[in-house]
Amino acid sequence: MRYRLTFVAGLALGYVLGTRAGRERYEQLKKSAQQFAQNPAVRNTAETAAQQGRRYAGKAFHTVSDRVGDRVPDSVAQRVRSLRERAMNGTPEDDWGTSNT
């Protein structure tokens, strides 16, 4: 509940400050954010973090699969099988069913 309250308070504060700053300040912040996102160092760091996240998620998936084994409900096991089959048929997805891009 605390996190939800914090989120709502941040949303309200952002709205109030955003309406006071006006469109010009919004455009300035937007331009700064785009320049930051286009920075090669930032892009490389984000891609590295994404790759590490996918790698750790795959390891976690295999660890949980080994430990849980046959206790997984059939519906979940079937979903995992279908995602793997789709990946083998040319769709670039990892073990979690998300794109590797």
Side-chain angles (χ1 to χ4, degrees):
M1 184 66 178
R2 180 178 75 183
Y3 298 109
R4 195 176 296 165
L5 182 61
T6 303
F7 175 75
V8 171
L11 190 65
L13 180 64
Y15 176 77
V16 169
L17 293 176
T19 55
R20 287 187 181 166
R23 184 72 177 182
E24 183 179 324
R25 179 69 178 149
Y26 167 77
E27 292 295 334
Q28 184 182 17
L29 290 172
K30 183 178 167 184
K31 183 179 177 184
S32 296
Q34 287 174 340
Q35 287 175 342
F36 179 78
Q38 296 300 324
N39 184 333
V42 172
R43 294 182 74 156
N44 289 339
T45 303
E47 182 59 33
T48 301
Q51 288 174 353
Q52 287 179 343
R54 285 191 291 272
R55 185 172 53 241
Y56 291 135
K59 287 180 182 180
F61 171 78
H62 292 298
T63 301
V64 169
S65 296
D66 292 343
R67 291 185 182 175
V68 173
D70 296 330
R71 294 179 281 182
V72 174
D74 288 336
S75 61
V76 174
Q78 179 60 34
R79 176 72 177 142
V80 170
R81 275 188 226 107
S82 69
L83 290 172
R84 284 187 179 163
E85 289 171 5
R86 192 180 327 164
M88 289 180 197
N89 292 331
T91 306
E93 293 181 345
D94 60 14
D95 290 338
W96 296 96
T98 57
S99 173
N100 286 331
T101 57

